[in-house]
Amino acid sequence: MVRFLLGRLAMAAAVCITLSLVTFVLIYTATDPAAAIAGRDATDEEIDQVRRELGLDRPWPVQYGAWIADLAKGDFGTSWYWKQPVLDLILEAAPTTILLSFMALSVTILVAVPLGVIAALRPGSLVDRLAVSFAVAAQAVPTFWLGLVAIVVFALQLKWVPVSGDASLLHFVLPAVVLGLVSVPAIMRLTRTGLLDALDADFVRTARAKGVGPVAVVWRHALKNAILPIVSLLAVQLGEKLGGSVVTESVFALNGLGRLALQSILAADLPTVQMLVFVFALTFVALNVLADLVNAWLDPRIRIG
Amino acid sequence: MLLSRRTFLATPMILAALPATAQKSRNTLKAAFNRTVRTLDGNYSNWRESDILGLLTDDALYAVDPETGRAVPLAARGHRFVSPTTLDIELRDDVRFHDGSPMTPEDVVYTYTFLINEKSKNNYLTRFATWIERVEKTGPLTVRFHMKRPNVMALYDFAMYSKVRKAGVYDDASKPDGINAEAQTLQLNGSGPYRVTQFRPGQMLRLERVANYRAGGPKGSPAIQTIEFRVIPDWSTQVSEVISGGLHWTYGVPEEIAAGAAATGQVKLLSGPSMRTFYVGLDATGKAPGAAPLADKRVRQALNHATDREGIVRNLIKGNSRVLDTPCDTVQFGCDKSAAVHYAYDPTKARALLAEAGATDVAFEFWTERDRPLVEAILAQWNAVGVKSTMRFVQAANISQARRDGKIAAEFASAGSFGIPDAGAIIPDRLGPTGRNFTGDEELKKTVVAAVSTYDEAERKQHFSAAIRLATENAYWVPLWTDGQIFVMSPELEYTQPPDGMQRLYFARWR
């Protein structure tokens, strides 16, 4: 187990460093950070002034080396754009994204798993086709449009929820549903396929032969076996949501990590973008490790280490 | 492309039809910005959002009168040019900062000495350092500006580009150079009719009316007690908030989305002017890649004739946009429309001019960082006369860099003039001796410099007219249009938009 965790830690470090290097190079290739920070109407002199002030006149490998050195000392840096410690910015935005992500994931599980189960129990039936059609539709509709239509129906006409913002838990309901629905197709299809395979397996036939009821067969035997890949996929989905749901956060004016990332990228705010990428990469690795551990717990045949 | 996308975006708005619930209870005006606000200090931001806030939170020495367009005293009582390079300013004795302290000559001297200090790294350092040599206190309520050169725009510079700060506010011995440029970023000690009571950068801010703000000044007596700004990046969400009563005022809304909101009958639309002037900048020196044919005047004239500006404004931009022949907005002082050569949309003439110039293979990159559909329309029109230009869509920052590197043959550009109704706010920067002038025309540069080096209005007009004539006869640009701006508002709000395009929320009132 210790070897497994150490191995994953080493992988996390490698992923983070590689990603930060790629991010650094991409931002430098894509734009001139000094000009982006100086603003649209800035004069050449003002841009040069920003360049000198931020040390952007040094070669980029030197700048990258300095950033790594600071990080090693626990200095997360100061945002060029917001002029605040990057750690403060991330800590301020993180709760919004974490809450939104977990609410959205709950929506995904509550919708996708039952739909997948129903579809698998009656393969080829009308119910199955309806469930699959729903999943395809959910995947096809652009998130921003779904969000706007949801605002019109539920916030403007029915007035059940507020239009936008993050002032209360109620403000998160609509974005969580919209964001959660995006992940439904993948989870639903995986549940359906996994359950179909499991229902055909010998152990299910044995269970049925032993007189186990249909509900117990599905929930206690078949689904437990089908759920392993779903757990892994849920970890990836949660990672994506925690990595910032840029569109959803923008449509619903939520001040989370996704919006922070978007604003920072547009402003070429390298210290903030670098740290966000670092945090996102760590989150992904951590969630994957967690998924492995959960799978090992669910299936004793899986051994870690 | 433009219509389909925007109509798509506007669809949810059209679906909405319900009673407006805009609340003016608690006398709070709720407004939205589309972009982030990262600092409260207008001396460190050149964004329009900061301009809007600065007008509310700070009283500069001068203000632009929205009726006349003239610079009128605000924190100052008046001024006198002792010589072309010596300017005396008398201060009012009743201007107070939000901490209760009076605005003194020491504060003014400190502010402008700070603004011209290279170590301050403020956003307007270059603007002020080019003409202010030093500032001194000359009496209990008077200061004297010693200038490096005559500057007819001085009062406008005071009005739009600087905020007076309390003496010592940026001083911090613990910082490099003893300056804390972030001193007013999160907590502002302003002097305007509203003070900041809450600020979450990039998210929201709340302003409260100053109780004892002096009456009778150019900003009047604001009627609204509290103004709350939220940052809502999505236009449709902003408009939904106005429909639901969550917002009362938003500006710059795309035409289709605004029209969709208007269809609900629950919001009020105001189509206001803006001084942002759009043009196609051409490298008439022919040095940029692919720009060699542009060194020929006939090719540039052909591009002017090939551009159907009226059609684009009528069919794509709509709103309050106006077609321009001039390299400035005609509402600006000195922007003489009659001096400009008018290039009518005439593809046949364009083809003839290209043929006459022997320009059979004109192909260059057309750079832009915004308004892709409008640029696509221009390129399609140019393509129709045989100019095979391609669009290069990049971030604004990349254009700045490419411009400095001399890589831009043609550019879809704009200038906002900071709402200053004087051609001196745009022409010198774009056609004077600056890094943004690609005309290679020394006579033009001299004429522009002459226009801002005299205080004589008749003489200035004459120089500006000559400059406009030179620029348009030689077709250095393709002048396009001014930008309109659409406001979506609660029907309960009374708000008017002056021609200079600046948003002055201290004049807003409830019906």
Side-chain angles (χ1 to χ4, degrees):
Chain A
M1 175 65 96
V2 174
R3 238 177 80 190
F4 168 79
L5 288 175
L6 284 175
R8 287 306 177 104
L9 206 62
M11 189 184 82
V15 167
C16 292
I17 288 174
T18 308
L19 275 177
S20 66
L21 186 60
V22 170
T23 310
F24 206 91
V25 173
L26 280 179
I27 286 196
Y28 264 84
T29 311
T31 190
D32 173 6
I37 289 162
R40 177 178 283 165
D41 289 333
T43 62
D44 290 352
E45 290 80 7
E46 287 164 359
I47 293 168
D48 287 339
Q49 191 182 310
V50 171
R51 199 185 314 284
R52 284 195 302 276
E53 179 191 343
L54 298 176
L56 295 170
D57 46 356
R58 299 173 296 169
W60 73 260
V62 174
Q63 293 179 50
Y64 181 72
W67 180 78
I68 289 284
D70 286 343
L71 191 65
K73 286 185 284 185
D75 180 359
F76 282 31
T78 301
S79 161
W80 292 343
Y81 180 69
W82 301 102
K83 312 283 185 188
Q84 291 181 58
V86 172
L87 187 61
D88 290 358
L89 292 172
I90 291 177
L91 289 178
E92 192 185 352
T96 299
T97 299
I98 291 171
L99 179 60
L100 174 65
S101 302
F102 278 97
M103 284 178 72
L105 197 71
S106 305
V107 171
T108 302
I109 294 170
L110 288 174
V111 176
V113 175
L115 267 183
V117 171
I118 292 167
L121 290 177
R122 300 271 187 278
S125 68
L126 182 66
V127 176
D128 182 24
R129 284 175 190 169
L130 281 175
V132 172
S133 303
F134 171 76
V136 170
Q139 199 162 26
V141 174
T143 314
F144 75 92
W145 195 82
L146 184 63
L148 293 174
V149 170
I151 285 174
V152 170
V153 175
F154 297 103
L156 294 186
Q157 295 188 330
L158 297 173
K159 297 186 181 180
W160 289 351
V161 286
V163 173
S164 68
D166 50 13
S168 72
L169 205 59
L170 201 59
H171 285 80
F172 285 84
V173 172
L174 219 47
V177 169
V178 169
L179 191 59
L181 285 178
V182 174
S183 303
V184 164
I187 301 293
M188 182 258 170
R189 275 202 293 263
L190 205 57
T191 307
R192 181 181 177 275
T193 313
L195 199 56
L196 277 173
D197 288 344
L199 286 171
D200 273 348
D202 291 343
F203 67 89
V204 169
R205 202 174 306 120
T206 307
R208 280 181 177 142
K210 284 164 69 179
V212 178
V215 175
V217 163
V218 170
W219 291 102
R220 209 180 299 158
H221 296 279
L223 193 58
K224 196 173 174 185
N225 280 276
I227 213 165
L228 298 181
I230 299 172
V231 170
S232 300
L233 187 59
L234 280 173
V236 174
Q237 297 285 351
L238 182 62
E240 280 180 6
K241 290 171 180 26
L242 287 171
S245 313
V246 175
V247 175
T248 309
E249 288 184 7
S250 294
V251 168
F252 291 96
L254 294 168
N255 298 300
L257 293 174
R259 249 180 97 184
L260 179 63
L262 180 66
Q263 290 165 344
S264 305
I265 290 167
L266 291 177
D269 183 3
L270 206 44
T272 309
V273 176
Q274 285 283 75
M275 196 48 65
L276 280 169
V277 168
F278 205 78
V279 169
F280 294 159
L282 274 179
T283 306
F284 254 99
V285 174
L287 284 170
N288 276 310
V289 171
L290 190 66
D292 287 343
L293 293 174
V294 171
N295 277 339
W297 174 69
L298 286 170
D299 185 352
R301 290 172 300 178
I302 299 173
R303 289 287 170 267
I304 288 176
Chain B
M1 180 69 182
L2 171 81
L3 287 175
S4 59
R5 182 178 164 274
R6 287 191 171 168
T7 306
F8 186 55
L9 286 169
T11 305
M13 299 302 98
I14 297 165
L15 291 173
L18 71 165
T21 55
Q23 296 297 313
K24 60 182 181 185
S25 57
R26 296 191 298 126
N27 198 3
T28 299
L29 167 62
K30 294 183 177 178
F33 287 139
N34 171 250
R35 297 192 301 181
T36 57
V37 176
R38 69 153 199 89
T39 177
L40 296 172
D41 192 348
N43 288 334
Y44 282 91
S45 172
N46 58 3
W47 287 42
R48 175 50 63 101
E49 290 78 3
S50 296
D51 299 337
I52 295 172
L53 289 174
L55 288 169
L56 294 164
T57 59
D58 289 288
D59 275 1
L61 292 175
Y62 276 72
V64 177
D65 185 328
E67 300 288 328
T68 64
R70 296 274 179 176
V72 293
L74 183 59
R77 193 170 291 286
H79 72 278
R80 187 170 70 95
F81 277 101
V82 180
S83 77
T85 55
T86 309
L87 171 62
D88 281 355
I89 301 264
E90 186 187 353
L91 301 180
R92 295 179 66 96
D93 58 3
D94 55 356
V95 180
R96 296 197 168 269
F97 288 104
H98 295 157
D99 66 357
S101 58
M103 187 184 288
T104 63
E106 284 81 359
D107 300 322
V108 177
V109 170
Y110 173 83
T111 297
Y112 288 95
T113 305
F114 179 82
L115 289 176
I116 61 173
N117 179 355
E118 194 174 336
K119 291 171 183 166
S120 73
K121 296 166 184 165
N122 72 85
N123 268 61
Y124 301 106
L125 171 66
T126 314
R127 178 163 297 274
F128 287 102
T130 53
W131 66 271
I132 297 177
E133 188 180 328
R134 64 189 170 87
V135 194
E136 64 171 330
K137 177 183 173 181
T138 49
L141 282 173
T142 52
V143 290
R144 172 165 291 180
F145 287 81
H146 297 274
M147 300 158 65
K148 294 175 182 170
R149 60 167 175 80
N151 180 18
V152 69
M153 302 298 290
L155 302 184
Y156 285 124
D157 283 359
F158 290 143
M160 298 311 300
Y161 300 111
S162 59
K163 318 292 177 215
V164 179
R165 297 280 173 252
K166 196 170 162 59
V169 78
Y170 294 114
D171 298 350
D172 186 342
S174 68
K175 300 281 182 187
D177 302 322
I179 289 170
N180 179 10
E182 307 304 323
Q184 299 286 289
T185 296
L186 300 176
Q187 286 184 317
L188 179 72
N189 185 19
S191 54
Y194 286 88
R195 65 188 171 87
V196 182
T197 55
Q198 193 182 358
F199 177 43
R200 285 158 60 199
Q203 300 179 24
M204 60 81 65
L205 72 157
R206 181 177 291 118
L207 311 178
E208 293 286 341
R209 188 177 57 198
V210 173
N212 51 354
Y213 184 73
R214 64 190 183 285
K219 294 187 179 177
S221 301
I224 289 171
Q225 175 65 35
T226 308
I227 303 179
E228 281 180 13
F229 290 95
R230 278 177 62 202
V231 177
I232 302 178
D234 191 277
W235 292 116
S236 297
T237 309
Q238 282 196 17
V239 168
S240 296
E241 285 282 15
V242 180
I243 294 170
S244 74
L247 281 181
H248 303 105
W249 183 92
T250 183
Y251 75 104
V253 180
E255 200 271 337
E256 280 78 6
I257 291 177
T264 67
Q266 308 305 323
V267 300
K268 189 171 67 173
L269 249 57
L270 172 66
S271 183
S274 158
M275 211 171 270
R276 186 160 285 278
T277 302
F278 288 82
Y279 63 94
V280 180
L282 302 169
D283 181 7
T285 65
K287 290 177 185 165
L294 297 175
D296 190 317
K297 184 167 87 172
R298 291 165 298 185
V299 174
R300 301 193 300 268
Q301 289 173 328
L303 294 177
N304 271 270
H305 280 301
T307 312
D308 182 9
R309 300 166 299 164
E310 283 85 0
I312 292 174
V313 165
R314 187 174 56 250
N315 298 312
L316 295 181
I317 305 176
K318 302 178 184 174
N320 225 32
S321 185
R322 287 173 287 118
V323 170
L324 289 176
D325 289 327
T326 48
C328 44
D329 188 341
T330 47
V331 302
Q332 292 179 301
F333 172 87
C335 192
D336 181 6
K337 188 180 175 182
S338 66
V341 175
H342 171 69
Y343 292 92
Y345 175 52
D346 189 343
T348 310
K349 194 166 184 180
R351 279 190 210 97
L353 280 164
L354 287 170
E356 189 185 319
T360 51
D361 188 25
V362 184
F364 51 82
E365 283 188 324
F366 189 128
W367 292 62
T368 183
E369 45 97 6
R370 58 184 293 169
D371 297 327
R372 183 192 285 264
L374 305 182
V375 174
E376 281 174 352
I378 294 171
L379 288 180
Q381 289 165 1
W382 287 8
N383 203 284
V385 300
V387 174
K388 309 294 179 199
S389 189
T390 52
M391 177 165 59
R392 183 147 181 185
F393 194 88
V394 296
Q395 286 190 34
N398 296 47
I399 290 195
S400 304
Q401 183 64 47
R403 201 185 292 124
R404 275 198 301 281
D405 295 344
K407 290 181 181 170
I408 294 185
E411 169 189 7
F412 182 75
S414 74
S417 296
F418 281 83
I420 295 174
D422 190 300
I426 173 171
I427 289 183
D429 185 45
R430 306 298 161 103
L431 294 172
T434 70
R436 296 197 68 152
N437 182 338
F438 295 97
T439 65
D441 187 332
E442 293 305 318
E443 188 191 348
L444 175 62
K445 288 179 189 173
K446 278 183 200 163
T447 311
V448 170
V449 169
V452 290
S453 301
T454 173
Y455 296 99
D456 186 291
E457 289 195 350
E459 210 178 320
R460 292 187 68 221
K461 274 185 180 173
Q462 200 180 338
H463 289 306
F464 274 132
S465 296
I468 291 167
R469 195 170 303 114
L470 269 175
T472 54
E473 270 175 3
N474 289 289
Y476 290 129
W477 287 5
V478 181
L480 296 173
W481 44 72
T482 60
D483 204 7
Q485 52 182 334
I486 299 178
F487 298 80
V488 177
M489 301 184 293
S490 158
E492 293 182 299
L493 189 69
E494 198 170 294
Y495 173 83
T496 52
Q497 183 57 39
D500 65 5
M502 293 304 295
Q503 299 83 355
R504 295 173 173 85
L505 277 170
Y506 43 77
F507 287 140
R509 274 165 174 58
W510 301 114
R511 282 185 186 276

